[in-house]
Amino acid sequence: MELIQNTPDLSAYLAADEVIDHGHPLVRETAARLAKGAADSYGYARLAFEFVRDAIPHSQDAGDPRVTWRASDVLEQGTGICYAKAHALAALLRAEDIPTALCYQKFDVVHGLVAVRFNGAWHRQDPRGNKPGVDAQFSLDGERLAFAPDPEFNELDYPVLYAEPHPVVLSALKAAPDRPHLWQTLPTAL
C-alpha cells in the first residue's frame, strides 16, 4: 500500500497543536529522559514507541474508564485507547524532530496508528499495547502492527497520513465522558 500525505509540507508532521502538544513540559521531560538512552534518532524512536506501547496501558485492556486525547494528558494519566496512545507517541517523536503522521485502519471500528519518516519513507507503527494475540513491534523493515485487516470482512488500511488527528476521531474522544460511553460512539469509518 502506498501511504499518502494529506499535506505535502513535511513540516506539518513536526507541528504542535492542542492534541499533539509536544511543547508541554511533561512531553518535553519524557522525551529528554528517553533520549538519554538512545544513540541516534532511530534508537530514540524505538524507545519512545516501546515506552508508549508498554508503560501506558490501553484503557480497555486495563479496565480504566478514563478517556484521554491530548498527548500530555495520556502521559500524565498513564492511560489511553489506540488513538490517544498514537497522539502521545506522535508528540514524543515530534519533540525530537522525527516527522510523525497519524494514520488509521478500519475493523468493526477505526483503529489508530502512527507513521514515522526515516530514510525518505513512511513506516507505520502501532503503539496500542500488546496482549495475548497482539504482538506489535517497532520496525522499519516491514510492518509489525497489532492487527492486519481482512478484506473479506470489509476491513482495510486507510492510506492517508494525517498531520493532525482526523476530526471524526477527535470529536468522539472529546465528547466521551468515559470509556464505556466512548465504546458506544467510536467511529466505524473515516
Side-chain angles (χ1 to χ4, degrees):
M1 174 183 66
E2 181 182 347
L3 299 174
I4 304 160
Q5 291 178 207
N6 77 323
T7 176
D9 181 5
L10 195 57
S11 69
Y13 298 95
L14 293 168
D17 58 28
E18 93 170 305
V19 178
I20 303 170
D21 58 342
H22 63 74
H24 188 280
L26 181 56
V27 177
R28 303 300 299 172
E29 177 184 303
T30 304
R33 181 171 34 87
L34 292 169
K36 287 180 184 176
D40 55 21
S41 60
Y42 173 79
Y44 172 79
R46 178 184 296 279
L47 288 173
F49 169 83
E50 291 172 351
F51 171 77
V52 172
R53 182 194 64 193
D54 300 341
I56 299 172
H58 188 285
S59 56
Q60 172 72 13
D61 296 348
D64 192 324
R66 296 174 293 170
V67 175
T68 54
W69 53 269
R70 183 179 288 117
S72 58
D73 292 340
V74 174
L75 297 176
E76 179 186 8
Q77 295 182 38
T79 191
I81 67 165
C82 60
Y83 313 128
K85 291 181 69 157
H87 299 163
L89 180 55
L92 290 171
L93 294 172
R94 289 181 184 187
E96 291 294 314
D97 295 321
I98 298 170
T100 308
L102 299 167
C103 48
Y104 304 93
Q105 296 174 304
K106 181 193 178 306
F107 298 98
D108 289 337
V109 296
V110 174
H111 176 61
L113 315 164
V114 302
V116 296
R117 189 162 178 89
F118 278 102
N119 304 320
W122 289 101
H123 306 273
R124 294 188 312 161
Q125 312 296 325
D126 190 344
R128 177 230 180 269
N130 290 339
K131 63 180 187 174
V134 176
D135 184 30
Q137 300 295 323
F138 185 85
S139 175
L140 302 182
D141 300 321
E143 293 184 338
R144 302 275 311 273
L145 305 176
F147 309 109
D150 186 340
E152 284 188 34
F153 296 102
N154 294 319
E155 298 173 348
L156 58 92
D157 287 308
Y158 289 109
V160 178
L161 301 174
Y162 296 91
E164 299 172 346
H166 193 284
V168 170
V169 168
L170 191 56
S171 293
L173 288 170
K174 284 182 164 184
D178 57 31
R179 188 184 38 76
H181 179 271
L182 177 62
W183 245 237
Q184 302 303 313
T185 60
L186 286 172
T188 58
L190 296 181

